Amino acid sequence: MSSERDVLLTRLRRALKDKESSEKFWGAMTKARANRSALLAKGQLDIRAIKESNKALKTAAVADRALVEEFAENVRRNGGKVFLAETGGDAIRYVEELSKRVGAKLIVKAKSLTSDEIEFTHELEKVGIQAD
């Protein structure tokens, strides 16, 4: 019996292979990014200040090993895999090695300040892996 996650992954793979669906997906991503930018401008929000605040929160959370392990265990319990990287470079190397092992040339990832901070997309593009 397939899990909801498996069904979703199957549908996503099928949709991304279909040109029309793929174009709709990327169009939606582009629109979402534009809407985010407009919302930040409208609210006169300082994205740099928000990023700094988030970075401080993450730094404090990562220092709490019990909290990190609780998070990792929750991910595992829900079927996820966890790699705890000591540095941004370690995280990038892990994803690069995993991508090469499975033959991935494209990674679809969630937008995160962490990936921006470690220049995740830029570093993977250097080795021929597109991260969107």
Side-chain angles (χ1 to χ4, degrees), residues 9-73:
L9 288 173
T10 299
R11 287 180 179 168
L12 283 170
R13 286 185 186 107
R14 192 176 305 129
L16 289 173
K17 286 181 183 177
D18 175 65
K19 184 175 176 30
E20 183 180 344
S21 294
S22 182
E23 286 174 356
K24 286 180 182 177
F25 174 77
W26 292 117
M29 294 292 291
T30 300
K31 185 175 181 179
R33 288 181 181 133
N35 287 343
R36 177 181 176 264
S37 294
L39 182 63
L40 289 170
K42 181 179 179 182
Q44 298 180 342
L45 299 172
D46 181 353
I47 193 66
R48 288 188 182 147
I50 293 169
K51 286 181 179 183
E52 287 302 315
S53 175
N54 285 345
K55 187 175 182 178
L57 287 170
K58 284 191 289 185
T59 299
V62 169
D64 183 344
R65 296 305 286 176
L67 184 61
V68 170
E69 190 50 46
E70 179 184 350
F71 172 79
E73 186 53 39

Side-chain angles (χ1 to χ4, degrees), residues 83 85-94 114 117-120 123:
F83 173 76
E86 292 293 323
T87 67
D90 292 342
I92 292 165
R93 277 186 294 284
Y94 173 79
T114 300
E117 290 169 2
I118 65 172
E119 298 185 347
F120 184 84
E123 292 300 317

Side-chain angles (χ1 to χ4, degrees), residues 97-117:
E97 290 168 9
L98 177 62
S99 298
K100 287 179 179 177
R101 190 166 63 240
V102 301
K105 294 290 181 194
L106 170 67
I107 296 171
V108 179
K109 64 175 185 62
K111 175 75 174 151
S112 80
L113 295 176
T114 300
S115 64
D116 289 347
E117 290 169 2

Side-chain angles (χ1 to χ4, degrees), residues 116-129:
D116 289 347
E117 290 169 2
I118 65 172
E119 298 185 347
F120 184 84
T121 301
H122 178 70
E123 292 300 317
L124 288 175
E125 285 176 350
K126 285 182 183 178
V127 295
I129 300 167

